Amino acid sequence: SAELEYESVLCVKPDVNVYRIPPRTSNRGYRASDWKLDHPDWTGRLRVTSKGKTAYIKLEDKVSGELFAQAPIDQYPGIAVETVADSSRYFVIRIQDGTGRSAFIGIGFTDRGDAFDFNVSLQDHFKWVKQETEISKESQEADTRPKLDLGFKEGQTIKLNIGNMTSKKGGAAKPRVSGSGGLSLLPPPPGGKVAVPPIPPPSSTAIANHVTPPPVQKSSNASSADILLDLDAPAAASEAPVSATTDLWGDFSTASSGVPNQAPQQSNWVQF
């Protein structure tokens, strides 16, 4: 599986200084002021890569890219990479060769931002390693747990009760919708429309005259002129004031009896 893993680049810094540091004589941390900062022993390019869960600090030549030294890192912070006590731009790394020999050297950046990027790239990588370890641990624990058998046993059935739906064997019927007058109305058939009762057409009498006058009592000596006057009488009668003690059509009968033999005039007006 290690052969299938690919190498990814985490950080590249074009300028880095390498220093030979004196051996540590006590348990106190390293101090960059003990180094010869004005005279670095080597200057080149730094590249941080990762392959699987291991990170590598590679010191390479600026022009040819030839590898000068390499420091594998399995844990950060740890013994492979340590910060100095008096500066944030200098670190102590443990380099190793192919034979297993190791040595501690000091590295430093001219720009403080380069040192910050170098530190963050290592932190992000090992934070990802920690998350991957926790996920794999949880998956292994889940595999060891007894699995729940949620399948149906032979002959086992279930019964579903969805709303007011009735089963084939019978059940509660749907409640009927009650109308405003206490009548029980059946719901309309599915996909159908409710028929609206037709509105009866208005009668011809109501269209012609909105108010139907009462029948007029004619006198015995009514003539043909009275008959013609009666045709237009309802329109005029609707505008005349109504008296509670007199007949509604008494004035019309008196007017018609005064001119019994008068022929109808040509105009549309009626003379009273």
Side-chain angles (χ1 to χ4, degrees), residues 83-113:
T83 59
V84 298
D86 56 348
S87 179
S88 61
R89 296 188 291 114
Y90 297 92
F91 302 86
V92 176
I93 64 175
R94 183 185 63 182
I95 60 175
Q96 293 180 353
D97 58 5
T99 60
R101 295 181 300 175
S102 62
F104 291 92
I105 62 174
I107 62 173
F109 300 93
T110 305
D111 188 359
R112 195 177 302 276

PDB file of all heavy atoms in Angstrom, residues 83-113:
ATOM      1  N   THR A  83      11.158  24.290  17.562  1.00  0.00           N
ATOM      2  CA  THR A  83      11.344  25.734  17.443  1.00  0.00           C
ATOM      3  C   THR A  83      12.389  26.199  18.447  1.00  0.00           C
ATOM      4  O   THR A  83      12.637  25.528  19.466  1.00  0.00           O
ATOM      5  CB  THR A  83      10.015  26.465  17.702  1.00  0.00           C
ATOM      6  OG1 THR A  83       9.553  26.130  19.011  1.00  0.00           O
ATOM      7  CG2 THR A  83       8.958  26.066  16.673  1.00  0.00           C
ATOM      8  N   VAL A  84      13.007  27.317  18.161  1.00  0.00           N
ATOM      9  CA  VAL A  84      13.996  27.887  19.073  1.00  0.00           C
ATOM     10  C   VAL A  84      13.291  28.780  20.076  1.00  0.00           C
ATOM     11  O   VAL A  84      12.142  29.194  19.864  1.00  0.00           O
ATOM     12  CB  VAL A  84      15.085  28.664  18.297  1.00  0.00           C
ATOM     13  CG1 VAL A  84      15.844  27.740  17.378  1.00  0.00           C
ATOM     14  CG2 VAL A  84      14.464  29.812  17.528  1.00  0.00           C
ATOM     15  N   ALA A  85      13.973  29.100  21.157  1.00  0.00           N
ATOM     16  CA  ALA A  85      13.352  29.845  22.245  1.00  0.00           C
ATOM     17  C   ALA A  85      13.358  31.341  22.025  1.00  0.00           C
ATOM     18  O   ALA A  85      12.537  32.051  22.621  1.00  0.00           O
ATOM     19  CB  ALA A  85      14.054  29.502  23.563  1.00  0.00           C
ATOM     20  N   ASP A  86      14.226  31.847  21.170  1.00  0.00           N
ATOM     21  CA  ASP A  86      14.381  33.296  21.062  1.00  0.00           C
ATOM     22  C   ASP A  86      13.970  33.861  19.707  1.00  0.00           C
ATOM     23  O   ASP A  86      14.181  35.048  19.448  1.00  0.00           O
ATOM     24  CB  ASP A  86      15.846  33.683  21.339  1.00  0.00           C
ATOM     25  CG  ASP A  86      16.817  32.964  20.430  1.00  0.00           C
ATOM     26  OD1 ASP A  86      16.392  32.000  19.748  1.00  0.00           O
ATOM     27  OD2 ASP A  86      18.003  33.346  20.386  1.00  0.00           O
ATOM     28  N   SER A  87      13.374  33.081  18.811  1.00  0.00           N
ATOM     29  CA  SER A  87      12.957  33.603  17.512  1.00  0.00           C
ATOM     30  C   SER A  87      11.919  32.672  16.900  1.00  0.00           C
ATOM     31  O   SER A  87      11.894  31.460  17.179  1.00  0.00           O
ATOM     32  CB  SER A  87      14.166  33.723  16.571  1.00  0.00           C
ATOM     33  OG  SER A  87      13.732  34.210  15.302  1.00  0.00           O
ATOM     34  N   SER A  88      11.055  33.258  16.057  1.00  0.00           N
ATOM     35  CA  SER A  88      10.044  32.480  15.331  1.00  0.00           C
ATOM     36  C   SER A  88      10.473  32.173  13.896  1.00  0.00           C
ATOM     37  O   SER A  88       9.714  31.528  13.172  1.00  0.00           O
ATOM     38  CB  SER A  88       8.710  33.230  15.325  1.00  0.00           C
ATOM     39  OG  SER A  88       8.848  34.478  14.662  1.00  0.00           O
ATOM     40  N   ARG A  89      11.654  32.608  13.493  1.00  0.00           N
ATOM     41  CA  ARG A  89      12.116  32.390  12.119  1.00  0.00           C
ATOM     42  C   ARG A  89      13.115  31.237  12.003  1.00  0.00           C
ATOM     43  O   ARG A  89      13.529  30.908  10.898  1.00  0.00           O
ATOM     44  CB  ARG A  89      12.758  33.662  11.573  1.00  0.00           C
ATOM     45  CG  ARG A  89      11.792  34.824  11.458  1.00  0.00           C
ATOM     46  CD  ARG A  89      12.403  36.023  10.742  1.00  0.00           C
ATOM     47  NE  ARG A  89      13.444  36.664  11.523  1.00  0.00           N
ATOM     48  CZ  ARG A  89      14.727  36.683  11.174  1.00  0.00           C
ATOM     49  NH1 ARG A  89      15.124  36.086  10.076  1.00  0.00           N
ATOM     50  NH2 ARG A  89      15.622  37.302  11.943  1.00  0.00           N
ATOM     51  N   TYR A  90      13.466  30.626  13.122  1.00  0.00           N
ATOM     52  CA  TYR A  90      14.494  29.582  13.108  1.00  0.00           C
ATOM     53  C   TYR A  90      13.961  28.305  13.750  1.00  0.00           C
ATOM     54  O   TYR A  90      13.187  28.345  14.720  1.00  0.00           O
ATOM     55  CB  TYR A  90      15.752  30.053  13.854  1.00  0.00           C
ATOM     56  CG  TYR A  90      16.415  31.245  13.203  1.00  0.00           C
ATOM     57  CD1 TYR A  90      16.076  32.538  13.605  1.00  0.00           C
ATOM     58  CD2 TYR A  90      17.363  31.074  12.206  1.00  0.00           C
ATOM     59  CE1 TYR A  90      16.680  33.637  13.007  1.00  0.00           C
ATOM     60  CE2 TYR A  90      17.975  32.175  11.610  1.00  0.00           C
ATOM     61  CZ  TYR A  90      17.619  33.445  12.013  1.00  0.00           C
ATOM     62  OH  TYR A  90      18.211  34.536  11.404  1.00  0.00           O
ATOM     63  N   PHE A  91      14.395  27.177  13.176  1.00  0.00           N
ATOM     64  CA  PHE A  91      13.962  25.853  13.633  1.00  0.00           C
ATOM     65  C   PHE A  91      15.170  24.924  13.670  1.00  0.00           C
ATOM     66  O   PHE A  91      16.188  25.151  13.006  1.00  0.00           O
ATOM     67  CB  PHE A  91      12.896  25.267  12.695  1.00  0.00           C
ATOM     68  CG  PHE A  91      11.680  26.131  12.540  1.00  0.00           C
ATOM     69  CD1 PHE A  91      11.646  27.150  11.585  1.00  0.00           C
ATOM     70  CD2 PHE A  91      10.571  25.929  13.335  1.00  0.00           C
ATOM     71  CE1 PHE A  91      10.530  27.945  11.433  1.00  0.00           C
ATOM     72  CE2 PHE A  91       9.442  26.720  13.188  1.00  0.00           C
ATOM     73  CZ  PHE A  91       9.426  27.731  12.239  1.00  0.00           C
ATOM     74  N   VAL A  92      15.027  23.838  14.430  1.00  0.00           N
ATOM     75  CA  VAL A  92      16.021  22.769  14.475  1.00  0.00           C
ATOM     76  C   VAL A  92      15.355  21.516  13.931  1.00  0.00           C
ATOM     77  O   VAL A  92      14.296  21.089  14.434  1.00  0.00           O
ATOM     78  CB  VAL A  92      16.531  22.531  15.909  1.00  0.00           C
ATOM     79  CG1 VAL A  92      17.489  21.333  15.929  1.00  0.00           C
ATOM     80  CG2 VAL A  92      17.238  23.773  16.429  1.00  0.00           C
ATOM     81  N   ILE A  93      15.928  20.903  12.889  1.00  0.00           N
ATOM     82  CA  ILE A  93      15.363  19.706  12.268  1.00  0.00           C
ATOM     83  C   ILE A  93      16.379  18.566  12.362  1.00  0.00           C
ATOM     84  O   ILE A  93      17.590  18.784  12.481  1.00  0.00           O
ATOM     85  CB  ILE A  93      14.960  19.961  10.799  1.00  0.00           C
ATOM     86  CG1 ILE A  93      16.180  20.297   9.949  1.00  0.00           C
ATOM     87  CG2 ILE A  93      13.908  21.076  10.718  1.00  0.00           C
ATOM     88  CD1 ILE A  93      15.868  20.439   8.470  1.00  0.00           C
ATOM     89  N   ARG A  94      15.853  17.356  12.315  1.00  0.00           N
ATOM     90  CA  ARG A  94      16.691  16.158  12.358  1.00  0.00           C
ATOM     91  C   ARG A  94      16.716  15.537  10.965  1.00  0.00           C
ATOM     92  O   ARG A  94      15.703  15.046  10.486  1.00  0.00           O
ATOM     93  CB  ARG A  94      16.139  15.166  13.382  1.00  0.00           C
ATOM     94  CG  ARG A  94      16.985  13.908  13.571  1.00  0.00           C
ATOM     95  CD  ARG A  94      16.304  12.945  14.512  1.00  0.00           C
ATOM     96  NE  ARG A  94      15.026  12.478  13.967  1.00  0.00           N
ATOM     97  CZ  ARG A  94      14.209  11.658  14.617  1.00  0.00           C
ATOM     98  NH1 ARG A  94      14.528  11.235  15.839  1.00  0.00           N
ATOM     99  NH2 ARG A  94      13.073  11.284  14.077  1.00  0.00           N
ATOM    100  N   ILE A  95      17.884  15.593  10.330  1.00  0.00           N
ATOM    101  CA  ILE A  95      18.035  15.034   8.993  1.00  0.00           C
ATOM    102  C   ILE A  95      18.526  13.601   9.100  1.00  0.00           C
ATOM    103  O   ILE A  95      19.210  13.219  10.067  1.00  0.00           O
ATOM    104  CB  ILE A  95      18.989  15.889   8.134  1.00  0.00           C
ATOM    105  CG1 ILE A  95      20.375  15.954   8.789  1.00  0.00           C
ATOM    106  CG2 ILE A  95      18.393  17.279   7.910  1.00  0.00           C
ATOM    107  CD1 ILE A  95      21.413  16.674   7.937  1.00  0.00           C
ATOM    108  N   GLN A  96      18.174  12.791   8.095  1.00  0.00           N
ATOM    109  CA  GLN A  96      18.569  11.381   8.050  1.00  0.00           C
ATOM    110  C   GLN A  96      19.003  11.033   6.639  1.00  0.00           C
ATOM    111  O   GLN A  96      18.503  11.608   5.661  1.00  0.00           O
ATOM    112  CB  GLN A  96      17.422  10.468   8.489  1.00  0.00           C
ATOM    113  CG  GLN A  96      17.023  10.593   9.947  1.00  0.00           C
ATOM    114  CD  GLN A  96      15.880   9.666  10.314  1.00  0.00           C
ATOM    115  OE1 GLN A  96      15.296   9.016   9.439  1.00  0.00           O
ATOM    116  NE2 GLN A  96      15.558   9.586  11.597  1.00  0.00           N
ATOM    117  N   ASP A  97      19.927  10.097   6.554  1.00  0.00           N
ATOM    118  CA  ASP A  97      20.342   9.587   5.246  1.00  0.00           C
ATOM    119  C   ASP A  97      19.794   8.177   5.063  1.00  0.00           C
ATOM    120  O   ASP A  97      19.086   7.648   5.917  1.00  0.00           O
ATOM    121  CB  ASP A  97      21.863   9.616   5.105  1.00  0.00           C
ATOM    122  CG  ASP A  97      22.574   8.815   6.186  1.00  0.00           C
ATOM    123  OD1 ASP A  97      21.867   8.161   6.991  1.00  0.00           O
ATOM    124  OD2 ASP A  97      23.818   8.842   6.240  1.00  0.00           O
ATOM    125  N   GLY A  98      20.131   7.567   3.953  1.00  0.00           N
ATOM    126  CA  GLY A  98      19.599   6.248   3.653  1.00  0.00           C
ATOM    127  C   GLY A  98      20.138   5.152   4.535  1.00  0.00           C
ATOM    128  O   GLY A  98      19.529   4.071   4.626  1.00  0.00           O
ATOM    129  N   THR A  99      21.247   5.389   5.212  1.00  0.00           N
ATOM    130  CA  THR A  99      21.857   4.366   6.073  1.00  0.00           C
ATOM    131  C   THR A  99      21.327   4.389   7.498  1.00  0.00           C
ATOM    132  O   THR A  99      21.724   3.552   8.313  1.00  0.00           O
ATOM    133  CB  THR A  99      23.380   4.557   6.101  1.00  0.00           C
ATOM    134  OG1 THR A  99      23.690   5.846   6.622  1.00  0.00           O
ATOM    135  CG2 THR A  99      23.964   4.426   4.686  1.00  0.00           C
ATOM    136  N   GLY A 100      20.481   5.341   7.823  1.00  0.00           N
ATOM    137  CA  GLY A 100      19.929   5.419   9.165  1.00  0.00           C
ATOM    138  C   GLY A 100      20.629   6.408  10.063  1.00  0.00           C
ATOM    139  O   GLY A 100      20.211   6.598  11.214  1.00  0.00           O
ATOM    140  N   ARG A 101      21.696   7.055   9.594  1.00  0.00           N
ATOM    141  CA  ARG A 101      22.376   8.043  10.421  1.00  0.00           C
ATOM    142  C   ARG A 101      21.558   9.339  10.446  1.00  0.00           C
ATOM    143  O   ARG A 101      20.895   9.680   9.472  1.00  0.00           O
ATOM    144  CB  ARG A 101      23.776   8.330   9.880  1.00  0.00           C
ATOM    145  CG  ARG A 101      24.719   7.125   9.942  1.00  0.00           C
ATOM    146  CD  ARG A 101      26.096   7.494   9.402  1.00  0.00           C
ATOM    147  NE  ARG A 101      26.023   7.940   8.029  1.00  0.00           N
ATOM    148  CZ  ARG A 101      27.080   8.409   7.347  1.00  0.00           C
ATOM    149  NH1 ARG A 101      28.275   8.481   7.935  1.00  0.00           N
ATOM    150  NH2 ARG A 101      26.936   8.800   6.092  1.00  0.00           N
ATOM    151  N   SER A 102      21.635  10.053  11.526  1.00  0.00           N
ATOM    152  CA  SER A 102      20.880  11.288  11.687  1.00  0.00           C
ATOM    153  C   SER A 102      21.759  12.360  12.308  1.00  0.00           C
ATOM    154  O   SER A 102      22.766  12.064  12.975  1.00  0.00           O
ATOM    155  CB  SER A 102      19.638  11.057  12.554  1.00  0.00           C
ATOM    156  OG  SER A 102      20.015  10.635  13.858  1.00  0.00           O
ATOM    157  N   ALA A 103      21.348  13.633  12.106  1.00  0.00           N
ATOM    158  CA  ALA A 103      22.065  14.786  12.667  1.00  0.00           C
ATOM    159  C   ALA A 103      21.084  15.925  12.811  1.00  0.00           C
ATOM    160  O   ALA A 103      20.061  16.001  12.094  1.00  0.00           O
ATOM    161  CB  ALA A 103      23.237  15.174  11.768  1.00  0.00           C
ATOM    162  N   PHE A 104      21.373  16.824  13.737  1.00  0.00           N
ATOM    163  CA  PHE A 104      20.518  17.982  13.984  1.00  0.00           C
ATOM    164  C   PHE A 104      21.190  19.216  13.392  1.00  0.00           C
ATOM    165  O   PHE A 104      22.363  19.491  13.681  1.00  0.00           O
ATOM    166  CB  PHE A 104      20.277  18.163  15.475  1.00  0.00           C
ATOM    167  CG  PHE A 104      19.416  17.101  16.092  1.00  0.00           C
ATOM    168  CD1 PHE A 104      20.003  15.978  16.649  1.00  0.00           C
ATOM    169  CD2 PHE A 104      18.041  17.223  16.107  1.00  0.00           C
ATOM    170  CE1 PHE A 104      19.208  14.993  17.213  1.00  0.00           C
ATOM    171  CE2 PHE A 104      17.246  16.253  16.681  1.00  0.00           C
ATOM    172  CZ  PHE A 104      17.828  15.131  17.230  1.00  0.00           C
ATOM    173  N   ILE A 105      20.409  19.946  12.582  1.00  0.00           N
ATOM    174  CA  ILE A 105      20.898  21.174  11.982  1.00  0.00           C
ATOM    175  C   ILE A 105      19.865  22.272  12.214  1.00  0.00           C
ATOM    176  O   ILE A 105      18.695  21.996  12.514  1.00  0.00           O
ATOM    177  CB  ILE A 105      21.176  21.012  10.471  1.00  0.00           C
ATOM    178  CG1 ILE A 105      19.874  20.655   9.728  1.00  0.00           C
ATOM    179  CG2 ILE A 105      22.264  19.963  10.228  1.00  0.00           C
ATOM    180  CD1 ILE A 105      20.022  20.620   8.210  1.00  0.00           C
ATOM    181  N   GLY A 106      20.298  23.512  12.071  1.00  0.00           N
ATOM    182  CA  GLY A 106      19.399  24.633  12.209  1.00  0.00           C
ATOM    183  C   GLY A 106      19.061  25.240  10.864  1.00  0.00           C
ATOM    184  O   GLY A 106      19.907  25.313   9.964  1.00  0.00           O
ATOM    185  N   ILE A 107      17.812  25.637  10.676  1.00  0.00           N
ATOM    186  CA  ILE A 107      17.379  26.310   9.450  1.00  0.00           C
ATOM    187  C   ILE A 107      16.721  27.630   9.851  1.00  0.00           C
ATOM    188  O   ILE A 107      16.170  27.763  10.954  1.00  0.00           O
ATOM    189  CB  ILE A 107      16.405  25.449   8.611  1.00  0.00           C
ATOM    190  CG1 ILE A 107      15.121  25.155   9.414  1.00  0.00           C
ATOM    191  CG2 ILE A 107      17.072  24.150   8.161  1.00  0.00           C
ATOM    192  CD1 ILE A 107      14.039  24.450   8.613  1.00  0.00           C
ATOM    193  N   GLY A 108      16.822  28.604   8.960  1.00  0.00           N
ATOM    194  CA  GLY A 108      16.222  29.898   9.241  1.00  0.00           C
ATOM    195  C   GLY A 108      15.758  30.572   7.974  1.00  0.00           C
ATOM    196  O   GLY A 108      16.276  30.313   6.880  1.00  0.00           O
ATOM    197  N   PHE A 109      14.708  31.415   8.097  1.00  0.00           N
ATOM    198  CA  PHE A 109      14.125  32.142   6.970  1.00  0.00           C
ATOM    199  C   PHE A 109      14.377  33.631   7.173  1.00  0.00           C
ATOM    200  O   PHE A 109      14.288  34.154   8.294  1.00  0.00           O
ATOM    201  CB  PHE A 109      12.623  31.875   6.865  1.00  0.00           C
ATOM    202  CG  PHE A 109      12.275  30.428   6.672  1.00  0.00           C
ATOM    203  CD1 PHE A 109      11.984  29.611   7.768  1.00  0.00           C
ATOM    204  CD2 PHE A 109      12.236  29.880   5.407  1.00  0.00           C
ATOM    205  CE1 PHE A 109      11.662  28.296   7.593  1.00  0.00           C
ATOM    206  CE2 PHE A 109      11.922  28.548   5.227  1.00  0.00           C
ATOM    207  CZ  PHE A 109      11.624  27.749   6.324  1.00  0.00           C
ATOM    208  N   THR A 110      14.657  34.307   6.069  1.00  0.00           N
ATOM    209  CA  THR A 110      14.847  35.756   6.140  1.00  0.00           C
ATOM    210  C   THR A 110      13.525  36.467   6.376  1.00  0.00           C
ATOM    211  O   THR A 110      13.450  37.439   7.138  1.00  0.00           O
ATOM    212  CB  THR A 110      15.498  36.264   4.853  1.00  0.00           C
ATOM    213  OG1 THR A 110      16.706  35.534   4.625  1.00  0.00           O
ATOM    214  CG2 THR A 110      15.801  37.746   4.934  1.00  0.00           C
ATOM    215  N   ASP A 111      12.460  35.984   5.733  1.00  0.00           N
ATOM    216  CA  ASP A 111      11.133  36.579   5.875  1.00  0.00           C
ATOM    217  C   ASP A 111      10.360  35.819   6.944  1.00  0.00           C
ATOM    218  O   ASP A 111      10.321  34.571   6.959  1.00  0.00           O
ATOM    219  CB  ASP A 111      10.390  36.520   4.531  1.00  0.00           C
ATOM    220  CG  ASP A 111       9.085  37.299   4.542  1.00  0.00           C
ATOM    221  OD1 ASP A 111       8.747  37.867   5.604  1.00  0.00           O
ATOM    222  OD2 ASP A 111       8.403  37.323   3.506  1.00  0.00           O
ATOM    223  N   ARG A 112       9.717  36.565   7.836  1.00  0.00           N
ATOM    224  CA  ARG A 112       8.938  35.933   8.886  1.00  0.00           C
ATOM    225  C   ARG A 112       7.702  35.235   8.322  1.00  0.00           C
ATOM    226  O   ARG A 112       7.224  34.249   8.893  1.00  0.00           O
ATOM    227  CB  ARG A 112       8.531  36.984   9.919  1.00  0.00           C
ATOM    228  CG  ARG A 112       8.023  36.405  11.233  1.00  0.00           C
ATOM    229  CD  ARG A 112       7.726  37.523  12.215  1.00  0.00           C
ATOM    230  NE  ARG A 112       8.901  38.333  12.452  1.00  0.00           N
ATOM    231  CZ  ARG A 112       9.860  38.044  13.340  1.00  0.00           C
ATOM    232  NH1 ARG A 112       9.760  36.955  14.074  1.00  0.00           N
ATOM    233  NH2 ARG A 112      10.893  38.852  13.510  1.00  0.00           N
ATOM    234  N   GLY A 113       7.152  35.735   7.199  1.00  0.00           N
ATOM    235  CA  GLY A 113       6.010  35.076   6.580  1.00  0.00           C
ATOM    236  C   GLY A 113       6.346  33.699   6.055  1.00  0.00           C
ATOM    237  O   GLY A 113       5.507  32.790   6.090  1.00  0.00           O
TER     238      GLY A 113
END
